[in-house]
Amino acid sequence: MKLEGKIFLKSRREDVWNFISEPVKVIECIPGVQEYSVTEGKRVTAKVKVSIGFIKGIFNASSNVIEEDHENYFAKLKLSGSGAGSGFDALVEVKLNEVDSGTELAWTANVNVSGPLGSLAKPMLEGYVKKIVNQFFDCIKYKLTG
Amino acid sequence: MEKLTFKYIGKPIPPYDGFYKVTGTAEYTFDIELPGMLYAKLVTSTVPHARIKKIDFSKALQIPGVVKVVTGKDFPYRVGMYAGDRDLLAIDKVRWVGHPVAAVIAESLEAAEKAIDLVDVEYEELPAVFDPLEALKPDAPLIHEKMEEYRHSPAFNPIPGTNIANKFTLVRGDVEKGFREADVIIEEQFYIPHVSHCYMEVQNVVAHYHLDGTVEIWTSWQNVAPIRQIMALSLGIPHNKIIVRIPYVGGGFGGKAGLGWEALVTILSKEAGYRPVKLVLSRKEQFTVAAVREGFYGFAKAGFRKDGKFIAYDVKFILDAGAYADYTVNVGRAVGYSADGCYEIPNIRVESLTVYTNKIPTTALRGFGYPESHWVLEQIMDRAAKKIGIDPVEIRRINLVKPGISETCTGERLREDAGNPEKVLQTLLEEIEWNTPPEKLREPWKIRSKGLALFVKGPAQPPNAAASAILKFNEDASVDLLIATGNFGQGTITALIQIVAEEFGLPLEKVRVDYIKDTHKSAYTWQTVGSRGLFTDGIAILKAIEDAKRQIFRVASEVLRCPEDHLELVDGEVRVKGKPWMKIPLQDIVMGYTYPNGNSIGGPVIGRGVFMSTHTTYLDPETGQGNPTIFHTFGGAAVEVEIDLLTGEIKVLKVVQALDLGKVINPLLVKQQMNGGSLMGLSIGLYEQIKFDERGWVVNPNFTNYYLIRIKDIPKEVVRKTIETPQSDGPYGARGIGELTMIGIAPAIANAVYRATGVKINQLPMNPENLWKALKEQRPDLFDEALKKFIESKKLAEVRA
């Protein structure tokens, strides 16, 4: 499924970039994250608690930065993980645009969910993923601007 | 002279192991606990096809109790029985979601389970292919780049540079000419999805690699010998240093016949400092990591004359073998040479391809290719009958093989005593009351119908698959029977005990078979698969009995001063025929006979016997001609079903099974096999299916979402009929039964549906969803009419209310 959105942040573009370039700061915003570590470079592994419908469990997730273009304030990340007999992967693109009195963070995510979790009804799954994504960006917004 | 009356043969003797199972004292591999034993868990791939860039298990090692984490790179072994294509743990790349990439060994299962979540694997994903038809295309991703390096049996034909693990071809007669002469041509495509074996006991292994290089293994598997052979060939351990033990086994159904986890766990034991290691798969892993039955496509073109004669058959089978095809190459071979079923088809061409995909590996399942070939053929027969305008029974009669005269599609002349397929058919017709129309129901959107299917099967085995038996007497003339025949619920051991007791005139309880099969202590048998155990191991035992009797009679003849051929064994005594007062109790002979003065003759009696087929051959690689099997068991299934035209639900009301078993050694066990096989046939025919998503993940790896037959689905009536046309070289004339009982069920149901509605269900399972779709697509009129009747009846009910 493809998801996209934009959020407005009352922070300078450079500050936002510095924030989101720090894996530790970003990872704490993932809903349900229980523990995490930065293994090398910006590769992050984490354990994330997931509860959707009758499927509940801990997901082992990892994130890799596959493109980082400071000049254009563009980054591409690959996320993947598995747990409760299911798996997911997501290709996330983030672009920071300067706007009046702040920064616009535009993002897209191409998410694949596999296994029993992926067999759930699409609206149910999409609703859950959207909820997680919104919580994530709300957290980033809060951490940046209070 | 042939014995006409029996004390035990043909009697409903309860299974010898029932007591232990009912009282919970039967010991399974799961119960094995050894001092200092460690536990292993597998880290499995989350991507279907990828190169392994890095495995970081540093965090896993920090979990208290974790002893070691092992990855595939350090153990570049290739293992397997037929194709030899499997790695112990993924080497360099993974080939399916579920492919083990690492194993954690820990002091406790809990620590191992915790640690596998901390192993971080980085992948570089590769294009994956999930459909075998796609995998056959020239530009398909190549799943095994080094196929030419794999060791394989000479019976198979892998094609390196492609995804074809085995190509089987069979040509007989002139198919094109046959089609030119045909009046009616049927062309159809069929499909069968992957299914799981669903045995109660999951796969589990304990292995102990000793410091002196000896390996001890306990495993929940069907056979001891192939495990030893696989390990010796793959790991280079001498055969006599490998001791494989199999205690009680909670079901196999072919899923515990090929390659197991023994080699891996052996390596883990060595890596863990020569401590014993136990691996137990979870039920989820049974659906995602252990091998399951393959997916199957059948593309068939059949030509008939208008008089009903089947004259040309061109069929292509494509087996979705998944990431590793070890045992499935033999399934591909068996489906190929069984394409002609019970019929004489003068012109036939078969191509059967076993194809790699990025899905779970596959293996044998009860029936071993025969359910697949019969799913295609038996529906073709009914379609052709309808097109020609004759009864489905008539078309079968016209084409049915005649033992002693007919040749199979491999060119093997059926022996005269191969069985009586005509009598099988007749029995089915009588029991299902073929000529009595089914009852019309008060709910007019439901209809009833009857259908049938015939089948034949022999063991799919190499031509040199041998068996042997050793029996030794104890001081009280009780017998220890040393055989390796697998004991996983099918009951063969009980029948083999009956044979020994019968021949020596001993009470059943005086014959003991150790429940643990052991490569060091049990006589060799190739495998217990393919419904062969009673036949091959039974013959070996009869020869061992003959050998022992010779020794006994030699001594008795000296003592009784009577020629050996004047002696007989009755009720545990050697007697002179016609002079029953001249006798010696067996216990006075079996350890040697001692005269009153102390002089002794003879010695401890040990009988040995072997089975080796002398007429089976490899099949010609170009034409598929030869003798592949040691016997054929003919059988048939008939059903009466109730079809709900609104919901697509099929309810099976009655099942009839008829089998020509040559001789029924134990009618109770036969009854249990026929009941069990009928239910398994119904379950696979109507409900079972492993579902994959578009990335190769199994979406129903549990018994909540993978529907198995339940109590409410069991037909009210299961009729079991046996026919006894003895095969002269079988034990008492007997042939195998185990797998047969599920082959005919699915096509019989499909034929019943077709007969009543004209709807073709070419795809298993015949669940409400698939039948409803087929009905709406092929007979919308029937559906609309049923709906109309349903609404009318509801309105009527309202008015009445």
Side-chain angles (χ1 to χ4, degrees):
Chain A
M1 76 189 92
K2 191 169 181 183
L3 303 167
E4 57 187 3
K6 286 175 183 171
I7 55 166
F8 174 72
L9 300 161
K10 282 185 197 167
S11 305
R12 288 188 320 116
R13 182 158 70 158
E14 195 59 28
D15 292 342
V16 177
W17 179 260
N18 288 338
F19 183 89
I20 65 168
S21 303
E22 274 295 323
V24 173
K25 287 178 180 169
V26 175
I27 203 88
E28 284 175 347
C29 280
I30 295 174
V33 72
Q34 304 221 312
E35 55 183 77
Y36 63 85
S37 60
V38 181
T39 51
E40 66 180 61
K42 288 185 177 176
R43 178 172 165 82
V44 176
T45 58
K47 289 170 105 59
V48 184
K49 194 174 179 181
V50 172
S51 173
I52 169 169
F54 61 90
I55 297 174
K56 294 180 174 64
I58 304 288
F59 267 62
N60 294 300
S62 66
S63 151
N64 273 320
V65 177
I66 53 176
E67 195 179 335
E68 196 172 19
D69 179 358
H70 192 168
E71 202 175 314
N72 293 306
Y73 293 92
F74 174 80
K76 199 189 266 186
L77 294 94
K78 171 96 190 268
L79 289 94
S80 60
S82 65
S86 303
F88 78 92
D89 65 68
L91 201 60
V92 179
E93 290 183 4
V94 177
K95 173 95 170 77
L96 302 181
N97 301 312
E98 265 188 331
V99 292
D100 286 348
S101 64
T103 305
E104 179 197 73
L105 186 154
W107 60 272
T108 61
N110 244 320
V111 186
N112 291 308
V113 183
S114 306
L117 196 57
S119 70
L120 292 175
K122 205 177 164 195
M124 189 176 175
L125 191 61
E126 273 190 8
Y128 179 78
V129 173
K130 274 181 189 161
K131 190 177 95 181
I132 293 289
V133 170
N134 287 335
Q135 283 177 1
F136 173 70
F137 283 115
D138 282 350
C139 169
I140 286 183
K141 198 169 178 175
Y142 176 78
K143 285 204 168 190
L144 264 167
T145 58
Chain B
M1 196 177 75
E2 198 186 330
K3 204 171 169 182
L4 295 175
T5 54
F6 297 105
K7 192 169 181 185
Y8 300 117
I9 301 299
K11 302 292 188 298
I13 310 291
Y16 88 108
D17 52 359
F19 172 83
Y20 305 100
K21 290 183 177 173
V22 169
T23 54
T25 50
E27 191 178 44
Y28 294 80
T29 300
F30 192 83
D31 300 316
I32 304 285
E33 295 285 332
L34 299 177
M37 193 169 81
L38 301 168
Y39 299 84
K41 283 300 286 181
L42 303 172
V43 179
T44 56
S45 166
T46 53
V47 289
H49 196 196
R51 296 209 180 283
I52 299 169
K53 281 174 71 181
K54 190 178 171 190
I55 303 175
D56 178 359
F57 49 81
S58 53
K59 275 196 226 158
L61 288 173
Q62 288 165 18
I63 298 287
V66 169
V67 173
K68 194 155 189 178
V69 179
V70 174
T71 64
K73 222 169 179 178
D74 304 324
F75 310 102
Y77 300 108
R78 288 279 164 204
V79 294
M81 183 180 292
Y82 289 130
D85 56 2
R86 184 69 188 267
D87 41 25
L88 295 180
L89 294 165
I91 306 166
D92 298 332
K93 79 173 195 173
V94 292
R95 294 182 170 88
W96 91 92
V97 174
H99 195 161
V101 287
V104 173
I105 314 162
E107 298 283 353
S108 70
L109 188 58
E110 294 72 24
E113 281 174 344
K114 208 170 172 187
I116 56 170
D117 284 345
L118 297 173
V119 176
D120 182 25
V121 187
E122 268 188 72
Y123 299 104
E124 179 193 332
E125 283 206 57
L126 299 167
V129 60
F130 303 112
D131 187 317
L133 304 180
E134 292 295 318
L136 286 171
K137 291 182 177 169
D139 57 347
L142 198 57
I143 297 169
H144 290 266
E145 294 88 346
K146 295 178 181 169
M147 209 196 292
E148 67 278 2
E149 293 177 9
Y150 298 170
R151 174 183 52 78
H152 69 86
S153 151
F156 304 104
N157 177 28
I159 304 181
T162 74
N163 287 318
I164 300 171
N166 182 43
K167 181 179 180 180
F168 171 85
T169 47
L170 183 147
V171 182
R172 186 168 168 78
D174 184 342
V175 175
E176 305 307 339
K177 183 171 162 276
F179 282 121
R180 282 196 298 275
E181 291 168 6
D183 300 305
V184 166
I185 288 179
I186 308 283
E187 275 192 272
E188 295 286 355
Q189 296 182 16
F190 298 87
Y191 176 71
I192 301 176
H194 290 69
V195 295
S196 175
H197 302 79
C198 302
Y199 28 70
M200 285 170 73
E201 187 194 11
V202 291
Q203 294 181 5
N204 62 114
V205 182
V206 175
H208 191 183
Y209 205 126
H210 292 273
L211 275 167
D212 69 353
T214 305
V215 175
E216 279 185 286
I217 288 166
W218 291 258
T219 182
S220 174
W221 217 245
Q222 292 179 211
N223 327 283
V224 286
I227 295 170
R228 183 178 61 178
Q229 176 76 345
I230 288 170
M231 294 213 4
L233 292 181
S234 308
L235 306 184
I237 304 171
H239 284 73
N240 68 346
K241 288 265 186 185
I242 304 166
I243 304 163
V244 183
R245 297 194 183 104
I246 298 181
Y248 282 100
V249 177
F253 307 113
K256 294 176 180 172
L259 176 66
W261 304 100
E262 294 79 16
L264 170 64
V265 185
T266 297
I267 292 294
L268 298 184
S269 170
K270 190 179 182 185
E271 287 300 305
Y274 299 91
R275 288 174 68 180
V277 173
K278 186 178 206 174
L279 172 73
V280 181
L281 295 194
S282 67
R283 181 59 66 182
K284 192 193 91 189
E285 287 169 328
Q286 283 292 151
F287 281 99
T288 56
V289 180
V292 299
R293 183 172 87 177
E294 89 289 343
F296 168 86
Y297 287 97
F299 301 91
K301 182 179 175 189
F304 292 80
R305 281 199 318 244
K306 60 186 173 201
D307 62 2
K309 179 68 194 143
F310 199 161
I311 53 169
Y313 193 33
D314 190 6
V315 64
K316 185 167 185 172
F317 301 126
I318 293 172
L319 285 77
D320 181 352
Y324 294 91
D326 179 39
Y327 217 127
T328 309
V329 296
N330 200 24
V331 178
R333 178 173 169 269
V335 73
Y337 69 68
S338 64
D340 58 342
C342 303
Y343 308 112
E344 253 186 349
I345 310 172
N347 306 298
I348 182 165
R349 182 166 59 205
V350 185
E351 185 176 271
S352 176
L353 302 177
T354 305
V355 181
Y356 289 119
T357 61
N358 291 114
K359 296 213 296 253
I360 185 167
T362 58
T363 187
L365 187 143
R366 196 176 187 178
F368 208 91
Y370 285 70
E372 292 92 320
S373 57
H374 286 79
W375 171 243
V376 174
L377 179 67
E378 284 299 314
Q379 290 197 76
I380 292 279
M381 297 306 283
D382 272 45
R383 312 268 167 92
K386 189 169 186 179
K387 214 164 174 181
I388 295 165
I390 57 176
D391 190 87
V393 173
E394 191 53 29
I395 198 165
R396 285 178 169 82
R397 281 218 167 101
I398 290 166
N399 294 290
L400 212 50
V401 287
K402 295 168 193 67
I405 299 167
S406 304
E407 289 184 354
T408 68
C409 66
T410 68
E412 177 187 2
R413 184 173 297 276
L414 279 175
R415 45 190 295 160
E416 212 161 323
D417 58 1
N420 191 341
E422 175 61 42
K423 198 169 175 187
V424 167
L425 179 57
Q426 190 55 38
T427 306
L428 287 181
L429 300 180
E430 284 163 16
E431 294 298 329
I432 199 72
E433 297 172 77
W434 185 256
N435 293 321
T436 307
E439 190 186 332
K440 285 205 169 165
L441 299 171
R442 290 177 64 189
E443 295 167 311
W445 57 92
K446 289 182 182 174
I447 50 173
R448 287 188 178 176
S449 178
K450 296 173 186 177
L452 58 81
L454 296 179
F455 53 83
V456 62
K457 188 183 183 300
Q461 59 174 48
N464 55 354
S468 61
I470 296 169
L471 57 86
K472 60 186 181 67
F473 278 88
N474 302 310
E475 292 87 334
D476 61 352
S478 62
V479 176
D480 284 332
L481 179 58
L482 311 181
I483 47 171
T485 318
N487 176 32
F488 37 93
Q490 77 281 44
T492 313
I493 304 278
T494 303
L496 298 177
I497 288 174
Q498 287 173 247
I499 291 175
V500 177
E502 183 74 48
E503 291 295 323
F504 287 118
L506 294 171
L508 288 165
E509 57 274 16
K510 276 206 154 185
V511 183
R512 184 174 182 275
V513 176
D514 195 341
Y515 73 92
I516 297 178
K517 307 301 158 208
D518 182 321
T519 46
H520 265 209
K521 295 175 184 166
S522 315
Y524 173 90
T525 191
W526 169 73
Q527 288 186 38
T528 306
V529 292
S531 316
R532 76 190 282 276
L534 175 63
F535 190 90
T536 58
D537 300 20
I539 290 172
I541 287 169
L542 281 168
K543 289 189 176 165
I545 291 167
E546 207 180 302
D547 185 30
K549 276 185 179 175
R550 254 196 311 271
Q551 298 168 44
I552 291 164
F553 286 161
R554 198 175 305 136
V555 173
S557 116
E558 270 193 53
V559 177
L560 296 169
R561 298 179 183 282
C562 162
E564 288 177 32
D565 58 357
H566 286 206
L567 297 172
E568 61 181 353
L569 257 168
V570 182
D571 292 338
E573 293 175 336
V574 182
R575 295 178 187 168
V576 178
K577 287 177 191 167
K579 295 178 183 171
W581 61 91
M582 291 181 71
K583 61 186 182 182
I584 315 174
L586 256 184
Q587 64 260 34
D588 289 354
I589 298 181
V590 291
M591 289 293 161
Y593 182 82
T594 305
Y595 287 101
N597 70 352
N599 278 350
S600 302
I601 56 167
V605 173
I606 300 171
R608 64 169 286 278
V610 301
F611 164 84
M612 179 60 93
S613 168
T614 50
H615 74 279
T616 44
T617 63
Y618 287 119
L619 299 180
D620 183 275
E622 303 295 323
T623 64
Q625 298 300 287
N627 296 344
T629 189
I630 48 177
F631 61 80
H632 299 87
T633 303
F634 288 96
V639 294
E640 180 170 0
V641 300
E642 187 173 293
I643 308 154
D644 187 326
L645 297 169
L646 293 179
T647 63
E649 188 185 0
I650 299 170
K651 198 172 171 183
V652 179
L653 307 170
K654 181 177 179 180
V655 170
V656 179
Q657 295 256 21
L659 290 165
D660 190 342
L661 296 178
K663 172 71 186 171
V664 174
I665 304 285
N666 184 327
L668 178 63
L669 295 172
V670 166
K671 176 183 163 186
Q672 290 171 346
Q673 280 282 17
M674 290 175 97
N675 283 346
S678 297
L679 297 192
M680 196 167 183
L682 288 168
S683 192
I684 289 175
L686 294 174
Y687 313 115
E688 294 187 43
Q689 174 179 22
I690 295 178
K691 293 180 182 169
F692 297 90
D693 66 17
E694 68 277 9
R695 287 176 52 76
W697 283 71
V698 174
V699 300
N700 57 344
N702 52 62
F703 286 143
T704 308
N705 299 330
Y706 182 94
Y707 194 96
L708 269 179
I709 192 163
R710 295 172 193 191
I711 272 287
K712 69 179 178 60
D713 307 315
I714 295 175
K716 278 184 187 161
E717 215 180 335
V718 177
V719 180
R720 303 158 299 266
K721 289 285 163 187
T722 51
I723 294 147
E724 295 182 302
T725 310
Q727 177 158 328
S728 60
D729 58 353
Y732 303 93
R735 296 181 202 92
I737 172 175
E739 302 163 301
L740 279 292
T741 52
M742 59 168 279
I743 298 175
I745 299 282
I749 296 171
N751 286 341
V753 173
Y754 179 68
R755 199 165 167 226
T757 64
V759 172
K760 301 187 271 189
I761 324 173
N762 292 4
Q763 173 182 351
L764 286 181
M766 293 174 278
N767 57 19
E769 184 186 348
N770 284 341
L771 177 57
W772 190 83
K773 276 185 197 163
L775 190 70
K776 286 278 280 178
E777 195 182 299
Q778 297 171 35
R779 289 293 309 273
D781 57 313
L782 211 55
F783 177 79
D784 292 344
E785 181 67 18
L787 186 61
K788 208 170 118 189
K789 284 177 182 167
F790 177 77
I791 292 167
E792 275 169 12
S793 86
K794 292 295 158 197
K795 276 184 186 164
L796 199 62
E798 275 171 25
V799 170
R800 280 184 185 148

